[in-house]
Amino acid sequence: MKIVQICPYDLARPGGVQAHVRDLSAWLVRAGHDVRVVAPYPLDRAPLAGVDHCGRAVKAQLFGTGFEVSHARSRDRRALVASLRDWGAELVHLHTPWTPFMAWQVWRDLDLPTVTTFHATLPQDRTGGLAARALRRAARHFLTHSRAAIVPSATPLAHLRPQDAGVAAHVLPPAIDLAPWQAAGAQPRRADSATDPEIVFLGRFEARKGLGVLLGAWPEVAARLPGVRLTVAGGGPQEDLLHAAMQGTEGERIRFVPSPDAESARRLVAEADLLVAPSLYGESFGLILIEAMAAGTLPVAAANEGYRTVLTGPGERLLVPPGDAPALAAKLIEVCGDASARRALTAWALPHALSFGVEATGPAFVEIYRNALRS
């Protein structure tokens, strides 16, 4: 098949949708298919090799999370669409379709059979607002014009209601290549892990990611675990919170790593004993949890709808109520202090993570594509 993957986001920026598009596309090529990836030009970097860039992006924010809005000039779209048609494009896989505007424009101009993945999940307390209603109307439009819909977990189905559009909906986790994470986890672990545990936070410094909850829990964790250290890696609008915590109680044991590259991020996670993921809402899946477990690092996570999809069975022990700093502190202290439980959970975590990897999920995407072309 000749497949066009359309991503509305800057592929040079870390993110779950971007990782999914990159890793699924690479796997499809290894499986014998031809793929072209369309995305806006990077915000502050040179164009990426192997990407058909179209449209310029600007930063935006909705429901407490940052993303990009892009727009493509008509002449640029015409040139790209002509190139894709000459190449023999057969199918479009459209990602997060309600993110304006470039992805809409190229998809509309191509007018090909389409599979659409809805990656985002609306906060439960905001599903009735004006923006949420607009997103639902946009979703109905894209569903009506898609031959199949994919969601990374059952969470978004309640507000998408694909059955109303008569479209088959498939619950399929994001495709992610876990081999680099496994390789990072195969390196020797720290000798002082048992006595001086390392906790890492990796992500955007924005309210919904729960950095403030973690920093609120930290003084109690540090007081109860004299050797514990915290690494906070990433960047964003809440960086001032981090700097204030580093000046406060037990702040000397907090390390700040600004926006690490992919290899450095994997190394930070693999070297830690626990990854903490306290996101309050808006997670349709738990990609960072899967990556951490593939690297041999246990996640302690907020029990939002997406993370509950990943941490099932024995993993439920690693969940805490979203936004509850005392509960998060207690869980971190509990898991750090119980070596036998950590070993048992780690033995469960790796095969569980691998069941979500692209080698396991890739064939399901191919089957959806084939059915879409046949319908």
Side-chain angles (χ1 to χ4, degrees), residues 74-265:
S74 59
R75 69 182 183 187
D76 295 333
R77 295 200 317 271
R78 284 196 301 269
L80 174 60
V81 168
S83 172
L84 292 170
R85 286 177 176 160
D86 290 345
W87 174 67
E90 299 175 84
L91 179 100
V92 169
H93 188 169
L94 181 61
H95 297 268
T96 314
W98 41 38
T99 302
F101 288 98
M102 181 278 295
W104 305 354
Q105 296 171 306
V106 175
W107 165 74
R108 180 195 60 205
D109 292 351
L110 274 172
D111 192 24
L112 288 172
T114 300
V115 172
T116 302
T117 293
F118 296 86
H119 292 271
T121 297
L122 300 180
Q124 283 187 325
D125 61 345
R126 302 186 192 184
T127 55
L130 181 61
R133 290 198 296 272
L135 288 178
R136 280 197 294 272
R137 289 186 64 184
R140 282 197 295 273
H141 172 76
F142 290 108
L143 285 166
T144 301
H145 292 83
S146 298
R147 296 192 179 181
I150 299 173
V151 289
S153 69
T155 302
L157 292 176
H159 63 260
L160 288 176
R161 298 185 61 82
Q163 66 274 17
D164 293 351
V167 177
H170 305 268
V171 178
L172 189 59
I176 185 69
D177 183 2
L178 294 174
W181 293 91
Q182 288 182 270
Q187 301 302 309
R189 310 291 287 188
R190 296 177 6 263
D192 63 351
S193 178
T195 56
D196 298 326
E198 177 89 18
I199 299 170
V200 65
F201 171 97
L202 174 66
R204 295 191 297 275
F205 298 174
E206 55 191 27
R208 79 172 184 89
K209 290 294 185 178
L211 177 60
V213 179
L214 169 60
L215 297 176
W218 174 246
E220 176 66 13
V221 174
R224 294 283 300 276
L225 301 171
V228 71
R229 297 184 298 269
L230 173 64
T231 295
V232 179
Q238 289 196 321
E239 188 174 316
D240 287 349
L241 281 182
L242 175 61
H243 289 300
M246 293 174 73
Q247 298 300 315
T249 304
E250 307 292 353
E252 71 280 359
R253 285 192 272 162
I254 301 175
R255 176 175 59 141
F256 173 34
V257 179
S259 301
D261 61 28
E263 183 178 354
S264 300

